[in-house]
Amino acid sequence: MAAARIKKGDRVIVLSGKDKGKTGEVTLAMPKDGKVVVSGVNVATRHKKPTQANPQGGLEKIEAPMHISKVAHVTADGKPTRVRFETQDGKKVRVAVKTGDKIDG
């Protein structure tokens, strides 16, 4: 299995689908499933029945997972970039391909 190129806390841009062009932060990464949850993106509406805890019921908006191939890291100027791994000072770090900036720390 490939190393995780996108992790929790990364700023990403959506490359395809109904939310194409939107940016957000990864709130949950599921590398085994190949999916990520991005804040404010891919929002699904769920109908909730009234319960004792929530007597009103109603509509609930949640962020649904999306495939990791639909998102890419964002550079400082807001453009998508690929990620590569380099060894710096004996440590494996993620580096933005377009700019050469370190993503980790």
Side-chain angles (χ1 to χ4, degrees):
M1 188 166 152
R5 295 181 190 277
I6 295 178
K7 298 181 179 180
K8 181 179 176 180
D10 290 346
R11 294 232 19 107
V12 294
I13 187 167
V14 179
L15 300 175
S16 66
K18 65 177 182 175
D19 293 320
K20 180 178 179 178
K22 287 187 181 179
T23 59
E25 186 175 313
V26 175
T27 56
L28 177 68
M30 299 179 274
K32 286 187 178 177
D33 299 332
K35 295 183 183 258
V36 290
V37 176
V38 183
S39 62
V41 176
N42 198 25
V43 177
T45 305
R46 295 282 178 252
H47 296 260
K48 290 292 183 179
K49 280 186 164 182
T51 61
Q52 284 189 334
N54 181 12
Q56 185 65 32
L59 300 176
E60 182 182 274
K61 295 189 181 292
I62 59 165
E63 289 140 358
M66 61 191 318
H67 200 267
I68 205 162
S69 66
K70 289 185 172 231
V71 297
H73 273 277
V74 176
T75 57
D77 60 354
K79 293 186 178 176
T81 182
R82 296 188 317 271
V83 176
R84 72 167 170 252
F85 289 94
E86 289 182 358
T87 305
Q88 296 177 355
D89 302 327
K91 288 192 172 186
K92 186 173 164 184
V93 293
R94 296 182 299 158
V95 176
V97 171
K98 272 190 183 173
T99 60
D101 296 338
K102 246 180 22 172
I103 295 170
D104 296 319

